Amino acid sequence: MNRKLLVLPALLGALAPAITGCGSSGGSGGSGKPIVVGTTDSIELTKDNPAPLDPATSYDSATWNVFYNTFQMLLTYQRGSTTPTPDAAKECHYAGTSGLTYQCTMRDGEKFSTGRSLTSTDVKFSVDRMQKIHWSDGPSSLISDVKSVDAPDPQTVVFHLKHPDATFPAKLATPAAAIVDSTVYPAKKPYTGWRLVGSGPYKLDSWTAGKQAVFSKNAHYDGTLKMHNSAVTLKMFADSNKMEDAIKSGQLDVMSRQLSPDQIQALQSNPDPDFKLTQSSGGEARYLFLNTDAPSLKKVAVRQAMAQIIDRQAITRDVYQRTAVPLYSVVPQGITTHVNSFYDTYGEPSVKNAQKTLTDAGITSKVPLTINFRRDNGGTMNKAEAEAIAKQLDASGLFDVHVEAEQWNAFLKAAGEGKYQVFALSWLPDFPDPDNYIAPFFDKETFIPLPYNLTEIRNTILPETRSQAQRSATTDAFGAAQKLVAEQVPMLPLWQANQYIAARDDITGAEWALNASTTTQFWELGRGASG
């Protein structure tokens, strides 16, 4: 998936908007016409994805963008904060000294958008349901360390953990812990179709597949987020150029994820007088995953040779036109514990070094590879990126590479089933911690099941770091994890992206609306003078 939330203290300054506008600072949401937001993210209902709006089944940036705006979690992040704070909960804390019990007290009067009261029973139901359904492409791995949940009274919910986990409050602030109505959602199967019932700031009024979704202020929302509008219409575009045309013609108020690099360059070079483009650093990381069970990639020397050849600078310059920056570790720059492990291990790209690596391993013929990529939609550059990587590897004379495209849901399913040799995915953080850039790929429960088992990360580093409440104390351990990934190369970091949002001149709050995981926080957007 691509995943989600703000930033660690080390990243806070880096993620501040580079170009700011007037921002709304208060209020509870006014009246007036809906704010119209454009996106090229696609959400599809298919045989393999029959419940795209169910938190138990969907785990990507497009659906989580909807979930953050419509579902409530026990905890949330306030504007500019790096610490989860209560939303549906009134208060949460670790009980005792073992780190194995986490308890929350619910806020009084919380209700779903239907008007039904929300209690601790719904919280327990939601977490139990996520684990029971355990959807292959869903986010249940985030809460896999929950042993059991108790709801001793309507206002109290108690989580019993299998192991101490200092990141657990952050996980409760993600849609993996979205609270669903226990009288509406089936306990053991998905809630199919274009339907959802939540208790978040907005309710979904209608969904027209591939065209638009209409949201209005949830009159029953009584959480802590401050709303600056009463309605949002999300317009979906298959072409980012058409999305740009729509904001220029006044059909859109805001355009968010995602613009192509050439559009961004053009808008930066020749700003439009009617709307403003805001840029900030982001937590999105792009990885190339290598199937170590595939015959061509079983030997670590082949994977190391790829790491010695691939030129990230050329990719970010030529494909992404410097809207992204090279990434040399599984943990991005700006996140506490980041080290340039791949650069430290392999240095600058070198065909000579790659050839020696292969020769020393007894590999003298060209290595055949196929890179599978997600078919492009909107402003994505998946094809150009795959072709650029293939060209670099082929030009070395050491590889023979082909590229193949696939539709998103089929792509994700096949990747998870180990059907590809090489594929790339963008990862957006679920929460701001180095754990969330490592555990989704190397823990016992993972987002993408990788065949390579780095046992030291899974059995030692992750458990030890999760027992550290002071996250700065995890620097050495996470540094060791990054070094292991660089040495064994089950995945290869490519780049981390800047993020962009554009808003017409009468829209406020755009600089706060797009967080580090590219979730568009609808409630931050307002119209007219700032409050």
Side-chain angles (χ1 to χ4, degrees), residues 55-199:
T57 65
S58 296
Y59 191 19
D60 58 62
S61 60
T63 52
W64 277 33
N65 188 61
V66 172
F67 296 164
Y68 274 117
N69 287 289
T70 53
F71 287 101
Q72 200 174 17
M73 281 68 80
L74 289 169
L75 302 173
T76 189
Y77 287 79
Q78 298 297 326
R79 179 192 290 185
S81 173
T82 62
T83 303
T85 55
D87 191 26
K90 179 168 59 177
E91 180 273 337
C92 293
H93 66 277
Y94 283 98
T97 58
S98 67
L100 296 175
T101 304
Y102 193 77
Q103 180 172 317
C104 294
T105 302
M106 307 296 295
R107 291 166 60 87
D108 295 329
E110 289 294 311
K111 295 181 178 180
F112 291 100
S113 59
T114 58
R116 178 183 170 273
S117 293
L118 185 161
T119 71
S120 61
T121 300
D122 294 293
V123 178
K124 171 178 168 54
F125 173 85
S126 300
V127 174
D128 288 346
R129 176 178 185 268
M130 179 71 71
Q131 293 186 324
K132 288 174 184 175
I133 292 176
H134 199 257
W135 197 257
S136 60
D137 298 326
S140 61
S141 60
L142 278 172
I143 56 170
S144 61
D145 254 357
V146 175
K147 183 178 181 181
S148 63
V149 187
D150 293 333
D153 61 62
Q155 298 302 110
T156 306
V157 59
V158 183
F159 299 91
H160 302 283
L161 307 181
K162 299 173 186 175
H163 311 283
D165 186 359
T167 69
F168 186 64
K171 293 171 180 175
L172 287 182
T174 75
I179 305 169
V180 302
D181 189 333
S182 59
T183 67
V184 173
Y185 284 73
K188 297 181 181 180
K189 62 181 182 179
Y191 188 50
T192 57
W194 299 107
R195 301 179 295 172
L196 67 80
V197 177
S199 59

Side-chain angles (χ1 to χ4, degrees), residues 1-33:
M1 136 156 207
N2 334 12
R3 281 347 59 231
K4 312 178 180 301
L5 263 169
L6 280 173
V7 282
L8 290 171
L11 196 56
L12 186 56
L15 290 177
I19 307 169
T20 60
C22 54
S24 182
S25 60
S28 58
S31 57
K33 62 180 182 178

Side-chain angles (χ1 to χ4, degrees), residues 4 18 44 100 126 140 188 312 318 327 357 407 435 446 452 499 513:
K4 312 178 180 301
E44 300 173 350
L100 296 175
S126 300
S140 61
K188 297 181 181 180
R312 298 164 178 80
D318 301 337
L327 179 60
T357 297
Q407 180 268 344
D435 182 285
T446 61
Y452 198 86
Q499 54 184 6

Side-chain angles (χ1 to χ4, degrees), residues 399-418:
F399 291 86
D400 181 17
V401 186
H402 300 276
V403 297
E404 295 181 4
E406 185 56 86
Q407 180 268 344
W408 170 235
N409 288 322
F411 171 85
L412 194 61
K413 186 173 186 291
E417 293 174 349

Side-chain angles (χ1 to χ4, degrees), residues 290-309:
L290 311 181
N291 185 347
T292 56
D293 277 353
S296 294
L297 292 165
K298 274 185 177 294
K299 289 189 176 181
V300 67
V302 175
R303 308 193 299 270
Q304 291 172 338
M306 293 175 68
Q308 290 170 311
I309 292 170

Side-chain angles (χ1 to χ4, degrees), residues 158-407:
V158 183
F159 299 91
H160 302 283
L161 307 181
K162 299 173 186 175
H163 311 283
D165 186 359
T167 69
F168 186 64
K171 293 171 180 175
L172 287 182
T174 75
I179 305 169
V180 302
D181 189 333
S182 59
T183 67
V184 173
Y185 284 73
K188 297 181 181 180
K189 62 181 182 179
Y191 188 50
T192 57
W194 299 107
R195 301 179 295 172
L196 67 80
V197 177
S199 59
Y202 295 88
K203 61 184 180 72
L204 175 64
D205 294 328
S206 65
W207 189 284
T208 305
K211 294 183 178 180
Q212 71 174 28
V214 177
F215 304 88
S216 61
K217 180 181 177 181
N218 175 12
H220 296 290
Y221 174 69
D222 194 31
T224 58
L225 298 172
K226 295 181 179 179
M227 300 181 67
H228 302 282
N229 63 72
S230 58
V232 169
T233 297
L234 185 67
K235 294 277 189 180
M236 303 166 200
F237 294 84
D239 185 331
S240 60
N241 291 301
K242 291 183 179 179
M243 180 171 68
E244 183 181 344
D245 291 341
I247 197 170
K248 286 181 175 179
S249 66
Q251 299 174 58
L252 291 182
D253 297 306
V254 177
M255 62 177 178
S256 58
R257 181 179 173 92
Q258 99 183 31
L259 297 170
S260 66
D262 61 331
Q263 285 179 286
I264 294 167
Q265 289 288 348
L267 290 171
Q268 289 177 329
S269 301
N270 299 290
D272 191 291
D274 294 325
F275 63 90
K276 178 172 55 185
L277 183 71
T278 298
Q279 172 189 326
S280 64
S281 299
E284 177 180 0
R286 183 76 166 179
Y287 304 123
L288 196 66
F289 292 92
L290 311 181
N291 185 347
T292 56
D293 277 353
S296 294
L297 292 165
K298 274 185 177 294
K299 289 189 176 181
V300 67
V302 175
R303 308 193 299 270
Q304 291 172 338
M306 293 175 68
Q308 290 170 311
I309 292 170
I310 291 175
D311 187 343
R312 298 164 178 80
Q313 293 280 359
I315 293 169
T316 55
R317 180 191 66 230
D318 301 337
V319 177
Y320 292 98
Q321 299 183 39
R322 296 186 173 88
T323 59
V325 295
L327 179 60
Y328 295 93
S329 177
V330 64
V331 176
Q333 298 177 59
I335 293 287
T336 298
T337 78
H338 164 82
V339 293
N340 286 318
S341 57
F342 274 78
Y343 191 88
D344 294 342
T345 304
Y346 303 108
E348 296 290 341
S350 171
V351 172
K352 180 181 178 181
N353 290 345
Q355 186 171 29
K356 183 177 186 305
T357 297
L358 292 175
T359 301
D360 288 350
I363 301 169
T364 56
S365 58
K366 288 185 179 182
V367 178
L369 289 178
T370 299
I371 299 176
N372 290 82
F373 64 91
R374 176 188 178 180
R375 187 174 296 124
D376 283 307
N377 68 294
T380 61
M381 302 297 293
N382 300 325
K383 181 180 180 181
E385 176 190 82
E387 290 175 342
I389 293 170
K391 184 177 180 180
Q392 290 180 5
L393 293 171
D394 283 344
S396 72
L398 304 174
F399 291 86
D400 181 17
V401 186
H402 300 276
V403 297
E404 295 181 4
E406 185 56 86
Q407 180 268 344

